[in-house]
Amino acid sequence: MIEFDPALFLSPALKKERFSLCERFIKGDKVKGLYVIYMNMDTGKPEAMKSEELDKKYYREKMIHVTGIADGRESVERYLAYAAMEYYGL
C-alpha cells in the first residue's frame, strides 16, 4: 500500500502531473522512468528507488510512505542531501 506525504516533493517537470502520478501509483499502475523517495520505516530515514521496484512483491506487501517523486537521479540526490543536512544533521 502507498501513502503520500502531504508535503510531497516533486521534480519541477512533474509538478503539473502530481495528482495523476499519485493516482497511478495508488492504482498499482506500472510507472516507469521515475524515482520514488520514501521513508524507510526501519531506519527512519528517506531512501530512493526506481519506480519499477514498487511492482515487486516485497513492496506491494508493505506500507510505503512516499515523500517524493523525481524524474532523475540528480533530483533524488539533491533531495536526499537536503534531508540529511536539514533533518538529520548529517
Side-chain angles (χ1 to χ4, degrees):
M1 176 166 203
I2 294 178
E3 65 179 9
F4 294 93
D5 196 89
L8 182 68
F9 164 81
L10 288 143
S11 296
L14 300 176
K15 288 189 185 235
K16 290 183 179 179
E17 299 178 56
R18 177 187 180 112
F19 293 108
S20 64
L21 280 173
C22 291
E23 186 175 70
R24 289 175 63 197
F25 280 115
I26 289 170
K27 287 166 71 175
D29 293 349
K30 285 190 179 184
V31 181
K32 295 183 179 183
L34 299 177
Y35 289 87
V36 174
I37 303 164
Y38 66 99
M39 187 61 62
N40 181 320
M41 296 303 178
D42 295 330
T43 65
K45 296 185 177 147
E47 294 184 3
M49 69 176 140
K50 290 188 175 184
S51 56
E52 294 89 347
E53 297 289 313
L54 288 173
D55 195 39
K56 292 184 176 179
K57 183 180 178 183
Y58 174 82
Y59 292 109
R60 286 193 316 258
E61 295 176 349
K62 298 279 183 187
M63 172 58 79
I64 306 294
H65 182 80
V66 177
T67 58
I69 303 171
D71 59 354
R73 190 73 191 162
E74 185 177 311
S75 292
V76 170
E77 291 169 357
R78 199 172 315 132
Y79 175 89
L80 292 176
Y82 173 79
M85 290 185 312
E86 188 71 20
Y87 301 109
Y88 304 106
L90 302 175

